[in-house]
Amino acid sequence: MTKEAADMASEKTKKPHPTDMTRAQGVHMDPMNKPVALTQDPHALREPKENNLEIAIGHEVRALRKKLGITIADLASATGISMGMLSKIENGVTSPSLTSLQALASALGVPLTDFFRRYEEPRNAVFVKSGEGIAIERRGTRAGHEYNLLGHIDNNTSGVVVEPYLLTLTEESSSFPAFQHEGMELIYMLEGEVRYRHGDQLFYMQAGDSLFFDADARHGPEELLSFPIRYLSIICYPARG
């Protein structure tokens, strides 16, 4: 065998590097083989609560400014506070003086106490025992799709609404309505087999499979293949002001 033929044979049997596979799938990776978009450390701890007051104030100032539809330059002009200082306040890297807070409250048309609202808010958790999810009437319910809401937290600090559902489809599930809504959605199969549609693509899914997608495309179960069918549906979308 010639050297050229040997090199070609070696190339065909070589397993693709994970980075090459993810690039082919449209996922950009950094040199450590982590998706570059995932910059938040889920295990990081915040500073002690007393040092988070600046962050809470900054979040509230930014939210109020955006609600009014004004720029940092507009707010600087109305308060006499420099744009650089306002940027530091909104990013929680400096502690604003009482005089600055009074000027901001006046310009934004809110009581001074509103700036401390996020700092004082409790951080809630919802625990649901097995089988005790709340039955919800949603589009698809009449077709035999059973929705159980697994928890809901109003007015959370993330700016994102999350709806976690446990869906059960039975042999009585006669039709398969298509869904289309804002936000992102994650489907995680617990049992059964289904062919799930997203846009013009079909995905064969069984226990342990997941599908994460932009929910603005038409989606939903296309074909029920093996019963019983149970899967988690977690929908996330921006909170409305």
Side-chain angles (χ1 to χ4, degrees), residues 34-230:
K34 294 181 181 178
V36 294
L38 305 181
T39 57
Q40 179 170 269
D41 181 359
H43 303 293
L45 296 176
R46 285 190 174 182
E47 297 174 353
K49 187 175 179 182
E50 60 269 22
N51 294 329
N52 279 331
L53 178 58
E54 292 83 0
I55 296 174
I57 292 173
H59 283 172
E60 200 63 37
V61 170
R62 181 185 288 112
L64 290 167
R65 175 177 63 78
K66 289 187 174 181
K67 186 176 181 180
L68 292 175
I70 61 176
T71 66
I72 287 185
D74 294 331
L75 190 56
S77 177
T79 59
I81 303 172
S82 71
M83 290 176 59
M85 179 57 71
L86 283 174
S87 180
K88 289 181 179 180
I89 291 173
E90 288 196 357
N91 287 300
V93 297
T94 190
S95 181
S97 66
L98 181 58
T99 300
S100 294
L101 288 176
Q102 288 174 328
L104 287 166
S106 177
L108 295 169
V110 296
L112 188 65
T113 53
D114 273 20
F115 296 130
F116 305 97
R117 184 173 54 187
R118 291 175 184 259
Y119 181 69
E120 296 170 347
E121 283 180 350
R123 303 299 187 259
N124 297 321
V126 176
F127 175 68
V128 178
K129 291 285 289 181
S130 176
E132 294 183 1
I134 301 173
I136 298 291
E137 176 101 8
R138 292 200 67 197
R139 186 177 172 216
T141 301
R142 292 182 181 178
H145 300 192
E146 180 183 326
Y147 295 82
N148 283 278
L149 184 64
L150 300 181
H152 182 69
I153 297 178
D154 286 319
N155 301 319
N156 66 78
T157 60
S158 70
V160 176
V161 177
V162 180
E163 298 179 6
Y165 295 98
L166 172 63
L167 272 77
T168 303
L169 281 62
T170 67
E171 295 183 35
E172 285 73 38
S173 302
S174 56
S175 61
F176 318 115
F179 304 92
Q180 193 169 6
H181 51 83
E182 65 177 333
M184 307 295 291
E185 184 167 353
L186 172 70
I187 299 291
Y188 183 83
M189 291 293 296
L190 298 174
E191 62 178 322
E193 298 174 53
V194 66
R195 207 177 307 278
Y196 199 93
R197 174 176 293 280
H198 178 258
D200 59 359
Q201 293 182 288
L202 288 174
F203 299 89
Y204 166 72
M205 302 184 68
Q206 55 185 346
D209 292 343
S210 63
L211 183 63
F212 183 51
F213 54 86
D214 185 338
D216 193 47
R218 289 174 66 84
H219 58 275
E222 182 82 5
E223 185 178 2
L224 310 184
L225 303 173
S226 176
F227 297 97
I229 295 172
R230 294 170 66 246

